[in-house]
Amino acid sequence: MKQHPAVVEFSKILSNQHIETNERRTEHYRSGWRSGKGTALAVLFPQTLVEYWQVLKVCIAHDCIVIMQAAKTGLTEGSTPSGNDYDRDVVVINTLSMNQLLILGEGEQVISFPGTTLHKLEKTLKPLSRSPHSVIGSSSLGATIVGGVANNSGGALVKRGPAYTQLSLFAQVNEKGELNLVNHLGIDLGESPEEILQNLEDGNFDHSSFNADPNKQASAQNYQELLRNVDANTPSRYNADTSRLYEASGCAGKLAVFAVRLDSFPVAKKEKSFYIGTNSASALTQLRRRILSEFTNLPEVGEYVHRDIFDVATKYGKDTFLSIKHLGTDRMPKMFALKGKIDSVLNKSALAPDYLTDRVMQGVAKLFPQHLPKRMLEFREKYEHYLILKMSDEGIAEAEKFLPEFFDDKDNGAYFECNAEEASSAYLHRFAAAGAAIRYQLLHQKEVGEMIALDIALRRNEFDWVEQLPASLQEKIDKSLYYGHFFCHVFHQDYVLKKGVDAKEVKAEMLRILDGRGAKYPAEHNVGHLYKAEDDLVKFYKKLDPTNTFNPGIGKMEKTKRNCSCCL
């Protein structure tokens, strides 16, 4: 493997510690967070933008497939190889080391390098009294800004919509197979690729002026208007929405993105969270419609949790909850990377039980006392549905006036105003839900079957948002777990199947049902290798990557090379 001519060329650019070809040591980087795995000639870890450009040139010169990767927090296998049936050698480029964040003006905008995390963005903007475009649970795992933009990730912030920009710097392979660097950051950085990248890395430009082309957006600026249209027959956000596909935005790794430019936002002066419980789905429907259509100030956050995933997260997400609470988010990316590497070694040993690290973490978590606040647990006993509602500034008074009136009807349920501990616990518990579903399935593999994870966008005018599966499907499912971004009508639906059930057949039936409801999927994790891309999305991918050099096979598209201009 090390004698491959491309690897020889890589070694002239990167140090040996930043090139990995050993199959065991690359396994973590060739495996998805939830599922998916494939082969690769090498995994590269460029340390600078110039190195990144240089290894890309080698990849293209040697006709290699390129798969871009950062923290691997995606759920649809979109940042790792998939299988062993590619027609060219695969090279994975991990971008996490290139993690600079450049501030423009007084923080009104930022430029993010490909490995910069959302968590770093939050920390950097905080002393400037600015907040980021997105704050999502997986920022605790090291999710990157560029990864979010490339996948149109939505997150939990009601007002700001999916990660989106029209200002970016990226490399693209044209229909002739030529690698080009495209500077659409709106900043003059020079002429040659090396000059542009070096000037950006050195910050060699005027940071004080952040005004770009007024016709180019650096955020999803009309999202609140979209949400308020509660009678619209279409979803508010989903990955194949053509209005959100623009160069780096939604590219899903079909470009090599070097930097993106994004808006930031003023920090709220005050925030207050409300915890809502109800047994009436229609009550939550009315609450959503009234807040979106009647409030002057929209919520900051509105996260939905069903009782079943509440229970699973209480038991199987406890270690994640406690780790973030007591160790902080800074350490989480390295912890999960280390866990992945340990698992890749232990899972090959006949002496070690499968998923030993998960079993150990689960066992340690049991030693700790109850971690959830009393009032959350009381609501769990009384109600089936929960909504975590965060309001800010003038919106707090609107909620304080509206909620007592709305819940004066006891059939609608009840709510309480969270203290700081309750608010923090509610959001941590919601974040732990996704990982908890995986943990449950892993630790019960002898008793249960595969897991299906869907993220769907319902129509904005959908009243019957609670899924009603036919009995023929229900009998095949061990657990149905629902949670999501309620005001956006974006839901995560995880299904742990019974032993022996064919997951592909069940998923196909579920997608047919969703099609009949006018839903869109995926909503915010992109198609990866798990979903078939819609026709408009296929056209977008082919326009970005006419030779099928970057991330081939996503969206159930072909993995083979294309090299003609007619593919455009």
Side-chain angles (χ1 to χ4, degrees), residues 56-95:
L56 272 176
K57 289 198 297 183
V58 173
C59 290
I60 304 311
H62 288 273
D63 198 23
C64 293
I65 285 169
V66 179
I67 295 178
M68 312 310 308
Q69 177 188 98
K72 298 197 311 153
T73 58
L75 305 180
T76 59
E77 306 178 7
S79 58
T80 54
S82 179
N84 310 319
D85 55 344
Y86 294 96
D87 63 338
R88 292 150 287 166
D89 289 317
V90 176
V91 175
V92 176
I93 301 181
N94 186 287
T95 64

Side-chain angles (χ1 to χ4, degrees), residues 363-398:
V364 171
K366 288 181 180 179
L367 302 178
F368 287 81
Q370 174 58 253
H371 59 295
L372 296 179
K374 179 181 178 182
R375 289 200 287 184
M376 283 179 62
L377 294 171
E378 289 175 346
F379 266 45
R380 185 266 166 223
E381 295 302 315
K382 295 180 181 178
Y383 304 112
E384 179 183 1
H385 307 284
Y386 321 105
L387 181 67
I388 311 163
L389 177 68
K390 181 191 287 187
M391 304 298 299
S392 63
D393 298 335
E394 290 80 7
I396 296 173
E398 288 190 273

Side-chain angles (χ1 to χ4, degrees), residues 96-108:
L96 281 178
S97 295
M98 299 170 287
N99 61 358
Q100 282 185 244
L101 184 70
L102 306 178
I103 302 297
L104 302 182
E106 296 181 1
E108 294 93 341

Side-chain angles (χ1 to χ4, degrees), residues 154-225:
L157 295 183
V158 175
K159 298 178 181 179
R160 295 175 197 168
Y164 180 74
T165 185
Q166 296 174 341
L167 299 164
S168 62
L169 174 65
F170 57 89
Q172 182 176 33
V173 175
N174 64 23
E175 66 273 13
K176 297 179 181 179
E178 301 165 336
L179 182 68
N180 297 309
L181 187 71
V182 180
N183 179 12
H184 286 171
L185 280 176
I187 298 172
D188 184 4
L189 294 166
E191 297 298 327
S192 72
E194 287 80 5
E195 182 185 11
I196 290 170
L197 296 171
Q198 195 63 61
N199 280 333
L200 181 60
E201 194 129 38
D202 294 341
N204 188 21
F205 60 92
D206 182 7
H207 293 229
S208 62
S209 176
F210 67 91
N211 294 317
D213 184 341
N215 297 315
K216 300 290 187 182
Q217 297 180 13
S219 60
Q221 295 178 4
N222 68 334
Y223 190 66
Q224 291 190 44
E225 179 184 341

Side-chain angles (χ1 to χ4, degrees), residues 1-147:
M1 188 76 73
K2 291 183 179 180
Q3 299 306 311
H4 190 286
V7 176
V8 173
E9 292 298 313
F10 294 146
S11 67
K12 297 176 182 178
I13 301 166
L14 305 177
S15 65
N16 289 337
Q17 69 187 96
H18 298 138
I19 304 170
E20 192 54 75
T21 58
N22 179 276
E23 188 171 307
R24 175 170 290 184
R25 290 196 290 267
T26 62
E27 183 174 10
H28 170 69
Y29 303 98
R30 295 184 290 104
S31 306
W33 188 45
R34 277 184 169 175
S35 62
K37 186 177 179 180
T39 57
L41 171 69
V43 180
L44 308 179
F45 304 87
Q47 303 298 294
T48 69
L49 297 182
V50 173
E51 287 184 352
Y52 183 11
W53 169 253
Q54 290 172 337
V55 297
L56 272 176
K57 289 198 297 183
V58 173
C59 290
I60 304 311
H62 288 273
D63 198 23
C64 293
I65 285 169
V66 179
I67 295 178
M68 312 310 308
Q69 177 188 98
K72 298 197 311 153
T73 58
L75 305 180
T76 59
E77 306 178 7
S79 58
T80 54
S82 179
N84 310 319
D85 55 344
Y86 294 96
D87 63 338
R88 292 150 287 166
D89 289 317
V90 176
V91 175
V92 176
I93 301 181
N94 186 287
T95 64
L96 281 178
S97 295
M98 299 170 287
N99 61 358
Q100 282 185 244
L101 184 70
L102 306 178
I103 302 297
L104 302 182
E106 296 181 1
E108 294 93 341
Q109 286 188 337
V110 299
I111 294 177
S112 167
F113 285 20
T116 312
T117 64
L118 274 170
H119 180 60
K120 182 172 183 176
L121 178 60
E122 293 173 46
K123 287 179 64 177
T124 303
L125 290 177
K126 188 173 183 179
L128 303 176
S129 297
R130 306 290 295 183
S131 61
H133 64 285
S134 182
V135 179
I136 59 175
S138 54
S139 62
S140 304
L141 299 177
T144 61
I145 299 166
V146 167

Side-chain angles (χ1 to χ4, degrees), residues 410-463:
K410 300 304 180 185
D411 289 339
N412 286 342
Y415 77 98
F416 62 83
E417 296 183 8
C418 298
N419 58 36
E421 176 68 18
E422 289 168 332
S424 174
S425 295
Y427 296 121
L428 277 178
H429 192 59
R430 161 62 184 90
F431 164 65
I438 300 170
R439 174 70 60 75
Y440 171 81
Q441 191 268 343
L442 287 179
L443 298 188
H444 293 83
Q445 283 193 337
K446 292 183 179 179
E447 301 91 38
V448 302
E450 296 180 61
M451 179 172 163
I452 297 173
L454 303 179
D455 66 295
I456 67 166
L458 297 180
R459 298 173 300 181
R460 283 168 282 173
N461 66 352
E462 179 67 77
F463 281 80

